[in-house]
């Protein structure tokens, strides 16, 4: 059931978020997606829904693997029962359709994947690597991951979920980390906190994440994990 307010909805999402954060996750670059019979411009999704069908007693785990890079980001979704996997396209008209530039735009307290050059925010991942990721830096990463998750999950529901009729999907999330950071407990905790906040916001019915909303969500998720 959909919550009546944004706050209660966010808290519900926090309480029901399941995360996978392995030390050295791998996302295969060889997973490919069959071409459709026609080409079209791909429109990024921003839906919050998680199921393609009515909730049933049949449950299957679906893992979203996010390779969040300094220059580009790619996503692979795998259904655990069949082990079928799909690389998620972001722009079907591009030769690099499975790569999304790791950049963000900020205007009027809202984050988006598109915008004017003057509003562009780059180097999203660099502050984590350098160990100086302040609140604004964390908000930017959460906003970017939120939009990526929304898009990838909705793409799967539209284009792949039909292979699993009458199944309820239990979503798990896996974010890639550089092997040099995998043994750093503090960095691992930062990644986990940012991913948890992004998953939480992806389940709220707002088209684009707002800065104040992200700060509130980060505070809530940090309190939960402490």
């Amino acid at each position: 059931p959909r919550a009546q307010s944004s706050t209660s909805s966010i808290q519900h999402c926090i309480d029901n978020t399941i995360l996978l954060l392995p030390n050295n996750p791998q996302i295969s670059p060889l997973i490919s997606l069959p071409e459709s019979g026609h080409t079209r411009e791909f429109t990024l999704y921003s839906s919050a829904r998680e199921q393609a069908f009515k909730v049933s007693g049949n449950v299957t785990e679906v893992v979203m693997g996010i390779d969040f890079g300094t220059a580009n980001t790619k996503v692979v979704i795998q259904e655990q029962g069949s082990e079928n996997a799909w690389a998620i396209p972001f722009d079907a008209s591009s030769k690099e359709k499975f790569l999304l530039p790791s950049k963000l735009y900020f205007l009027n307290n809202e984050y988006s994947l598109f915008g004017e050059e003057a509003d562009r925010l780059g180097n999203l991942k660099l502050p984590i690597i350098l160990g100086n990721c302040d609140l604004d830096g964390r908000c930017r990463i959460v906003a970017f991951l939120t939009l990526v998750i929304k898009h990838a999950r909705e793409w799967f529901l539209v284009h792949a979920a039909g292979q699993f009729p009458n199944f309820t999907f239990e979503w798990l999330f896996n974010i890639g980390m550089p092997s040099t950071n995998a043994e750093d407990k503090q960095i691992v905790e930062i990644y986990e906190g940012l991913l948890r906040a992004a998953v939480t916001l992806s389940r709220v019915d707002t088209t684009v994440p707002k800065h104040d909303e992200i700060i509130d969500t980060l505070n809530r998720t940090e309190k939960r994990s402490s």
Side-chain angles (χ1 to χ4, degrees), residues 1-20:
R2 185 164 296 171
Q4 296 300 313
S5 68
S6 175
T7 300
S8 61
S9 178
I10 289 175
Q11 189 59 54
H12 174 77
C13 292
I14 292 173
D15 293 339
N16 291 277
T17 295
I18 301 174
L19 297 178
L20 291 178

Side-chain angles (χ1 to χ4, degrees), residues 56-151:
S56 71
N58 301 317
V59 179
T60 184
E61 291 183 349
V62 180
V63 179
M64 182 184 300
I66 304 171
D67 185 358
F68 173 41
T70 53
N72 295 290
T73 293
K74 53 182 177 286
V75 178
V76 172
I77 292 180
Q78 183 178 60
E79 192 275 324
Q80 296 294 78
S82 65
E83 296 187 349
N84 289 339
W86 297 262
I88 305 302
F90 292 94
D91 183 356
S93 65
S94 170
K95 292 182 179 179
E96 303 292 343
K97 62 183 177 181
F98 301 115
L99 296 180
L100 176 69
S102 298
K103 58 185 179 181
L104 198 63
Y105 297 85
F106 183 67
L107 181 65
N108 298 328
N109 199 45
E110 294 181 341
Y111 293 95
S112 173
L113 295 175
F114 302 100
E116 300 295 331
E117 186 63 24
D119 303 319
R120 184 172 69 86
L121 303 172
N123 295 323
L124 300 180
K125 188 178 177 180
L126 192 59
I128 300 182
I129 298 174
L130 297 178
N132 59 358
C133 194
D134 59 13
L135 180 59
D136 282 343
R138 297 202 303 276
C139 286
R140 294 171 183 179
I141 293 171
V142 170
F144 179 77
L145 292 177
T146 297
L147 292 167
V148 168
I149 291 169
K150 277 178 172 285
H151 167 77

